[in-house]
């Protein structure tokens, strides 16, 4: 809310582009990047950086990032279908979407983007280590959600917007699947949620067990070697880790932003398979007689398990429905930017990148202003490519004159 007030106060509008496509606040960000705001005894901060930082504080609360993440496990006390729908698929991911949607603003504040990446990375590994020692089946999934949100926030903080949003989509399917599976287990075990009181349930609840296994394999980022196909998390999480590797290669001081997600991915697989083995393998350690759930519960599990297997293909190279932007793109941009010497090299590289820009939202004339400001910096190509990545082919005619004037 404070960030929105600052935007309205300085730019007079909350519209990105305005009704005419150029009167929104986005086109004024380049000039605003030179404005500073006094913080009294605390010094001063750039206007755009301040707005981006205030937005980040909202992301920390909304998407359960460090340090404001403890509310999410407590929210899992509600009905399991509500947990599956709201907490795994929609509500908590809003912060990730906001950073991706406001990426042009964040790119004018690179220091804050680095803070976003660090916050996401620390959240991912902290929540993963907490999930290692949870005995409540829903608490394991809750901390897993926080960890995966950390992956998404880290990705958008490193400029890998497609990777972050891609993982948001795949995570919605397999995490909803696992929450509903946990609800099936809890119902079948007479409302017992503690995994030490379960065990051996794959014989009593086979459909729940194997659909849960599909979700666990998906979130672990595993593939099926024999079939030469990966589940959804294989593509989305690999895209984040690959983007983190490219980011650390371009910024050697941030090597931990690659190493930490890589280690966290391994921890994720460990605690999720711990859940599988404690719940569905061994001997039953509880009381009563567990039973499989009825069709009302089972049918959604089967549908979500199918999506958890195949939804990752929308961003896979063979289909290419959504052109991937991961390590290959970032490394190519970074390498090309270092090779480009002077203004001619930058212009040629930008023309080549423009020719390959995929379909999405329209880019606007402010891109020319950004190029004029940054064309002397080799690494600027990396940032500008992220901004024009979503330009539609029909809008290239409007972009090229702007670049020419720059």
């Amino acid at each position: 809310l404070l960030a929105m007030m600052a935007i309205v106060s300085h730019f007079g509008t909350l519209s990105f582009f305005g009704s005419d496509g150029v009167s929104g606040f986005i086109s004024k960000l380049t000039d605003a990047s030179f404005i500073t705001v006094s913080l009294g005894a605390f010094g001063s901060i750039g206007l755009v950086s301040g707005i981006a930082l205030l937005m980040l504080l909202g992301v920390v609360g909304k998407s359960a990032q460090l340090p404001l993440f403890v509310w999410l496990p407590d929210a899992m006390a509600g009905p399991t279908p509500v947990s599956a729908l709201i907490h795994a698929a929609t509500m908590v991911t809003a912060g990730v979407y906001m950073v991706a949607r406001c990426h042009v603003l964040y790119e004018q504040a690179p220091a804050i983007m680095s803070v976003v990446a660090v916050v996401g990375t620390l959240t991912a590994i902290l929540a993963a280590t907490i999930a290692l020692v949870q005995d409540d089946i829903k608490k394991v999934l809750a901390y897993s959600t926080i960890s995966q949100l950390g992956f998404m926030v880290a990705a958008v903080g490193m400029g890998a917007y497609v990777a972050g949003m891609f993982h948001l989509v795949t995570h919605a399917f397999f995490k909803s699947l696992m929450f509903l599976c946990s609800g099936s287990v809890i119902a079948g075990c007479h409302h017992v949620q503690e995994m030490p009181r379960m065990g051996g349930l794959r014989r009593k609840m086979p459909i729940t067990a194997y659909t849960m296994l599909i979700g666990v394999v998906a979130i672990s980022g595993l593939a099926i070697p024999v079939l030469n196909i990966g589940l959804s998390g294989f593509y989305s999480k690999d895209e984040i880790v690959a983007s983190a590797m490219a980011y650390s290669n371009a910024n050697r001081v941030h090597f931990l932003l690659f190493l930490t997600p890589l280690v966290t991915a391994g921890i994720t697989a460990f605690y999720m398979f711990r859940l599988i083995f404690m719940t569905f393998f061994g001997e039953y350690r509880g009381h009563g007689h567990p039973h499989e759930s009825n069709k009302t519960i089972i049918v959604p599990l089967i549908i979500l398990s199918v999506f958890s297997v195949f939804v990752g293909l929308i961003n896979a190279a063979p289909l290419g429905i959504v052109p991937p932007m991961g390590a290959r793109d970032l490394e190519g941009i970074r390498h090309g930017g270092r090779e480009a010497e002077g203004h001619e090299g930058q212009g040629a590289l930008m023309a080549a990148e423009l020719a390959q820009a995929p379909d999405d939202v329209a880019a606007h004339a402010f891109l020319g202003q950004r190029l004029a400001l940054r064309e002397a910096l080799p690494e600027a190509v990396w940032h500008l490519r992220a901004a024009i990545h979503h330009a539609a082919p029909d809008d290239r005619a409007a972009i090229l004159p702007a670049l020419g004037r720059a």
Side-chain angles (χ1 to χ4, degrees):
L1 183 60
L2 291 176
M4 294 169 63
M5 293 171 62
I7 292 173
V8 172
S9 175
H10 184 79
F11 301 108
T13 179
L14 287 174
S15 173
F16 281 91
F17 303 114
S19 58
D20 56 358
V22 294
S23 61
F25 73 87
I26 292 294
S27 61
K28 306 171 185 176
L29 283 177
T30 299
D31 295 332
S33 63
F34 297 101
I35 300 175
T36 59
V37 178
S38 175
L39 299 178
F42 297 99
S44 61
I45 188 174
L47 175 65
V48 177
S49 296
I51 293 172
L53 183 59
L54 289 172
M55 285 186 173
L56 174 59
L57 295 178
V59 172
V60 168
K62 185 69 172 177
S63 293
Q65 297 298 287
L66 187 71
L68 305 179
F69 63 88
V70 294
W71 63 269
L72 186 60
D74 293 336
M76 295 300 138
T80 303
V82 175
S83 301
L85 178 62
I86 298 181
H87 296 285
T90 54
M91 186 182 78
V92 295
T93 56
V96 180
Y97 172 77
M98 186 187 71
V99 175
R101 185 68 179 89
C102 300
H103 67 275
V104 178
L105 185 149
Y106 275 92
E107 286 171 10
Q108 294 289 343
I112 306 302
M113 279 197 72
S114 297
V115 174
V116 174
V118 170
V119 168
T121 302
L122 291 177
T123 302
I125 191 166
L126 176 63
T129 54
I130 296 175
L132 284 171
V133 295
Q134 296 299 311
D135 288 333
D136 187 316
I137 188 171
K138 291 184 68 176
K139 286 290 183 69
V140 174
L141 297 178
Y143 283 106
S144 171
T145 297
I146 299 172
S147 182
Q148 299 307 303
L149 288 169
F151 272 100
M152 301 174 207
V153 172
V156 296
M158 289 183 278
Y161 309 111
V162 171
M165 294 302 295
F166 181 32
H167 196 54
L168 186 152
V169 173
T170 60
H171 176 263
F173 287 104
F174 55 67
K175 185 54 65 67
S176 296
L177 168 64
M178 289 188 289
F179 265 119
L180 292 181
C181 285
S182 70
S184 177
V185 169
I186 293 169
C189 293
H190 309 288
H191 303 285
V192 172
Q193 296 186 204
E194 294 75 22
M195 293 186 295
R197 296 171 61 186
M198 300 177 185
L201 294 181
R202 78 182 190 281
R203 293 185 292 270
K204 304 289 186 179
M205 311 174 68
I207 298 178
T208 299
Y210 290 111
T211 51
M212 174 69 94
L213 180 62
I214 290 174
V216 168
V217 172
I219 195 175
S220 301
L222 301 180
I224 305 174
V226 177
L227 301 178
N228 197 27
I229 185 176
L231 275 68
S232 57
F234 171 81
Y235 297 105
S236 60
K237 187 175 289 188
D238 178 75
E239 197 76 18
I240 292 176
V241 174
S243 299
M245 181 176 65
Y247 183 82
S248 65
N249 287 339
N251 308 270
R252 293 293 184 179
V253 295
H254 298 312
F255 72 96
L256 286 177
L257 293 182
F258 162 63
L259 184 60
T260 305
L262 185 64
V263 172
T264 305
I267 296 175
T268 301
F270 182 87
Y271 68 70
M272 292 310 306
F273 275 97
R274 171 179 175 266
L275 181 152
I276 284 289
F277 290 127
M278 290 186 68
T279 305
F280 298 106
F281 288 82
E283 299 298 326
Y284 182 60
R285 299 178 293 275
H287 302 286
H289 302 281
H291 56 84
E292 184 63 277
S293 300
N294 56 40
K295 292 182 179 180
T296 304
I297 298 177
I298 293 300
V299 172
L301 300 186
I302 297 173
I303 294 173
L304 286 171
S305 65
V306 173
F307 278 103
S308 297
V309 173
F310 295 109
V311 75
L313 295 177
I314 64 173
N315 197 36
L319 295 182
I321 299 175
V322 179
M325 175 151 181
R328 297 179 299 278
D329 300 75
L330 299 182
E331 181 64 16
I333 295 166
R334 181 182 63 82
H335 183 67
R338 289 179 175 173
E339 283 188 346
E341 298 287 344
H343 298 278
E344 288 187 10
Q346 294 287 357
L349 186 60
M350 288 312 308
E353 290 295 333
L354 259 174
Q356 299 175 4
D359 296 345
D360 203 337
V361 297
H364 295 270
F366 75 92
L367 293 175
Q369 298 175 349
R370 298 181 65 209
L371 178 61
L373 179 66
R374 303 185 180 199
E375 62 181 355
L377 304 175
E379 292 293 338
V381 181
W382 188 90
H383 296 286
L384 189 56
R385 173 62 176 86
I388 68 171
H389 182 262
H390 299 292
D394 293 338
D395 296 302
R396 293 172 188 164
I399 301 174
L400 290 174
L403 293 176
R405 289 192 299 271

